[in-house]
Amino acid sequence: MFVQELAPLGSLALSALVAALPLATVLVLLGAVRLKAHVAGLIGLLVAAVIAVVVFGMPIGQTISGAAQGAAFGLFPIMWIVVNALWIYRLTVRTGHFDVLRRSFGRISDDPRIQALIIAFCFGGLMEALAGFGAPVAISTVMLVALGFAPVKAAIVALVANTAPVAFGAMGTPVVTLAQVTGLPLESVSSIVGRQTPLLAVVVPLLLVLIVDGWRGLRETWVPALTCGLAFGLVQFLASNFVSAQLADIGAALAGVAAVMLVPSARKPARAEVRAAVLTGSATETFDGKDERADVVKAYAPYLLIIAIFSIGQLPPVKKLLDSATWKFDWPFLDVVAPTGKPVSGNTFSLPLLNTGGTLVLLAGLITAVVLKVKLKDTAREWGATVHELRFAILTVTSVLALAYVMNLSGQTTTIGNLIAGAGGALAFLSPILGWFGVAVTGSDTSANALFGALQVTAANQAGFSPDLLASANSSGGVLGKMISPQNLTIACAAAQMNGQEGNLLRKVLPWSIGLLLVMCLIVAAQASFLSGMLP
């Protein structure tokens, strides 16, 4: 048995500083040294393992076993979702239907600033609602590049857009997990998160048009951008508070795209100088031609199938059947106990063979292959080509998740969390930072909620704050760490064919991540004091 220790160096602050070294190593190697992400991830994993053994006293065998569990989680379900989502994209490219989809989006508006709203924010939000775990970034980036966006700009737009929907992504998994680990009612945390992230939803579309076309873009397209954000945020608020956390992002994404299409200025043709300035890629043709209605239906079919399959999968009888194929077992060579004396959840491993996004996307892909009349041999070949294309992304994600698990199981993450939780009166302002840090490490708002949700509740009770508020702040702050998590950076680079440029991408999105995090910190601090009337 290994018992975690909060302050192995005698000082909580010094122990936390040392515990933060693995993540700091990865970020510095990416951003400053400019190493490739999979190399930085492996080095960070080595640093985490050394600190776990030497400083925190974790046995070498358990350290290796914990790293293996993290790598397994990185493969399944995370990369399982990404691989199958990109595989569907490759099928549509092979048959030419992706071009049909691209032209369809282009006919809604040929203005690249509006296209960023529709594809990255609304369509990406829908993909986040249904799949999550990197799929929205991958698919949105690919589509923007195909429309003519420069790869780096497409990746930045996709990463920044993947914020407001994240807390309710993958059919509400992050907030459901938060309720489970904290013991708080799902309705309570869903309602509060639904009064925080919609405020981000109002701001993010404005930032997207600013990123795409600078101040000119903001000046000329702020009306459709603001309309899109308000519609998305309003429906997300209403659904999360009065309908269902699982359906919040689906309704919000559909409302956002409908709102954009209703704004007259969004349908005006873009001026030639705007397209010339923004679209530096190869796809700069006009969208005047028409496609056959059957081809348009087939182009949308993969995503309609995903919506239908995921919706059916949430029906109670179907969900129960799918859950019955989940394999839960004790992970070998792990016996870790928290400082409180309770065994940590990492001692067990859950393998949802059917009720996981990747498997459902795989089913949608198989049906897509039939609809698009792709031969079985070609379907299998495209799946293999997808795995080959993502080989370095797979290595990065598995190494970073292995790093995260070593940090979690050895107690490094808990030490950092306890230092932040001891901030007393400043805790309300700092609580979103804890979620942000958790997502930056793991790449998952669900994982960050599992890590720090209960800690936020304990700290809130000690400091006299609302446990529901700070637990919710963990999830809302966490969504802003997605864009800087190494695995999401790698997924974006892979989708944009920018292999090895994760460090460059990190430097470009980090200011947006920190800026929006500051906004969320101020929102939570205000809700804890003079804006407490915002809370249910």
Side-chain angles (χ1 to χ4, degrees), residues 76-77 171 310 313-314 318-326 351-360:
F76 193 98
M171 304 305 294
F310 272 83
Q314 292 303 309
V318 179
K319 183 175 176 59
K320 184 178 180 180
L321 179 63
L322 296 177
D323 282 338
S324 66
T326 298
L351 200 63
L353 300 175
L354 296 180
N355 196 17
T356 183
T359 302
L360 298 179

Side-chain angles (χ1 to χ4, degrees), residues 57-81:
M58 190 176 192
I60 294 176
Q62 296 210 45
T63 303
I64 295 172
S65 180
Q69 184 181 172
F73 184 74
L75 289 173
F76 193 98
I78 294 179
M79 289 310 298
W80 181 235
I81 294 175

Side-chain angles (χ1 to χ4, degrees), residues 8-28:
L9 297 177
S11 164
L12 182 62
L14 180 59
S15 299
L17 183 64
V18 173
L21 285 177
L23 180 61
T25 299
V26 173
L27 295 179
V28 169

Side-chain angles (χ1 to χ4, degrees), residues 359-439:
T359 302
L360 298 179
V361 172
L362 174 66
L363 176 60
L366 293 173
I367 300 175
T368 295
V370 174
V371 172
L372 301 185
K373 298 180 180 178
V374 183
K375 294 180 180 178
L376 180 60
K377 179 179 66 175
D378 294 332
T379 300
R381 184 179 291 123
E382 289 297 337
W383 196 90
T386 303
V387 174
H388 182 266
E389 179 184 338
L390 291 175
R391 61 193 184 282
F392 291 117
I394 292 171
L395 181 57
T396 299
V397 170
T398 52
S399 63
V400 171
L401 263 295
L403 176 155
Y405 269 61
V406 169
M407 290 183 66
N408 298 343
L409 290 167
S410 65
Q412 296 174 57
T413 305
T414 304
T415 296
I416 296 168
N418 273 271
L419 179 68
I420 296 176
L427 182 59
F429 180 84
L430 296 176
S431 57
I433 298 176
L434 197 55
W436 176 85
F437 170 78
V439 176

